[in-house]
């Protein structure tokens, strides 16, 4: 009665479209957080078949899970905590994104490392105040592979400043005899927007899933959303005018109408506050009304007595006239990234590969 379908062929074709756009730069596909809710192992396997250049995850445990599942492709992880087994990283060929001197100390011989520098996002990575000391420390290190950073996507001006900082770090490193084989700065938004941000590799997450990283503009290339979320109407009933709906009666019917019950709640990742989202049933959009509950939400069907069992599209592809993950995110003051990453719960997962 609840289904999340993931189109692996769409994921592969999105990856290849990004690869074509960014060539000759390599494209790392980012599959962290269960591949943004799409299923990490399934997505990684599909991308491996397509010859993906590298896979990126946040946690070391995600990287080892991919190796355990038989993924042979390059894997890099960059959010290192106490959980990292540096010996295992060397043995499993897991590349590490290094952000502190303490992490650097622990790296074992043979591990490919990528130094992360903070060019302005203010999160992980070596601060510019430490670059001098960092590159002094790195000179003569044979296992050095990459230098990378991450953009804040605040504005074009902000992005350009970050790129300048990135260049500054590269020049400083070079002045100390430190060279990086693989330089990478851009994620999907940067990779699409600025050719000169692509360097040797880009790290694309959201675009691989066919979703738009920009909240204020259309994508300049055609990508296909890979996730489609549906449920079935499990109750349809006529109610009188003035009927309060769901907890807190945040909605009352203006006239006698049919209410449809959809078994998809915040337990499945439907935002509790998404009462203004519109879902598609039998080719027509209907509003979600009243608070979304843990297991279910209600739609006002007006005069339409739709059959029980009708498919309700919660989000899918705009090209097919379906509501989008962007729209669901907007209804909750959030973004498509959060929507797809949180989707799950008790819903049945189906993988399509056409
Ligand atoms: C370091 C890093 N690189 C790349 C990405 C992929 O970003 P996007 O999904 O916007 O392409 C992320 C995701 O947050 C990230 O943390």
């Amino acid at each position: 009665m609840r289904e999340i379908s993931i189109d692996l062929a769409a994921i592969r074709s999105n990856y290849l479209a990004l690869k074509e756009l960014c060539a000759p730069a390599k494209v790392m596909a980012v599959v962290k957080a269960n591949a943004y809710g799409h299923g990490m192992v399934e997505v990684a396997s599909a991308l491996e078949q397509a010859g993906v250049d590298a896979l990126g995850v946040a946690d070391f445990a995600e990287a080892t899970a991919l190796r355990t599942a038989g993924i042979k492709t390059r894997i890099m992880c960059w959010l290192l905590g106490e959980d990292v087994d540096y010996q295992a990283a060397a043995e499993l060929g897991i590349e590490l994104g290094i952000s502190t001197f303490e992490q650097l100390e622990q790296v074992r011989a043979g591990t490919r490392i990528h130094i992360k520098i903070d060019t302005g996002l203010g999160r992980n990575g070596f601060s510019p105040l430490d670059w001098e000391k960092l590159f002094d420390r790195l000179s003569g290190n044979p296992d050095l592979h990459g230098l990378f950073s991450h953009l804040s996507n605040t504005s074009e001006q902000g992005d350009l400043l970050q790129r300048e900082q990135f260049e500054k770090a590269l020049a400083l490193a070079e002045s100390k005899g430190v060279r990086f084989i693989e330089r990478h700065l851009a994620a999907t938004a940067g990779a699409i927007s600025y050719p000169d941000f692509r360097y040797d590799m880009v790290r694309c997450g959201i675009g691989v899933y066919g979703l738009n990283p920009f909240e204020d503009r259309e994508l300049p290339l055609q990508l296909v959303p890979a996730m489609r979320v549906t449920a079935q109407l499990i109750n349809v009933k006529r109610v009188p005018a003035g009927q309060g709906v769901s907890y807190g009666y945040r909605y009352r019917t203006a006239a006698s109408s049919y209410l449809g019950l959809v078994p998809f709640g915040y337990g499945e990742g439907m935002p509790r506050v998404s009462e203004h989202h519109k879902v598609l049933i039998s080719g027509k959009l209907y509003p979600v009304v009243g608070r979304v509950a843990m297991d279910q939400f209600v739609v006002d069907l007006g005069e339409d007595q739709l059959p029980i069992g009708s498919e309700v599209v919660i989000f899918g592809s705009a090209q097919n006239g379906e509501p989008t993950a962007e729209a669901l995110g907007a209804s909750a003051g959030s973004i498509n990234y959060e929507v797809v990453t949180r989707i799950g719960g008790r819903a049945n997962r189906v993988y399509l590969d056409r």
Side-chain angles (χ1 to χ4, degrees), residues 130-152:
D130 289 327
W131 291 353
E132 187 91 31
K133 180 176 158 198
L134 171 69
F135 296 129
D136 280 336
R137 177 60 230 286
L138 291 174
S139 54
N141 188 329
D143 292 318
L144 223 42
H145 184 82
L147 184 79
F148 78 113
S149 191
H150 193 44
L151 300 173
S152 80

Side-chain angles (χ1 to χ4, degrees), residues 188-202:
T188 305
I192 289 175
S193 307
Y194 319 113
D196 60 346
F197 278 51
R198 293 175 190 151
Y199 290 95
D200 305 302
M201 182 162 74
V202 297

Side-chain angles (χ1 to χ4, degrees), residues 30 32 36 78 116 123 148 150 187-188 203-206 337:
V30 178
K32 64 193 169 98
Y36 294 36
W78 54 69
K116 185 164 197 183
R123 297 195 323 199
F148 78 113
H150 193 44
T188 305
R203 304 179 307 270
C204 294
I206 202 81
Y337 288 76

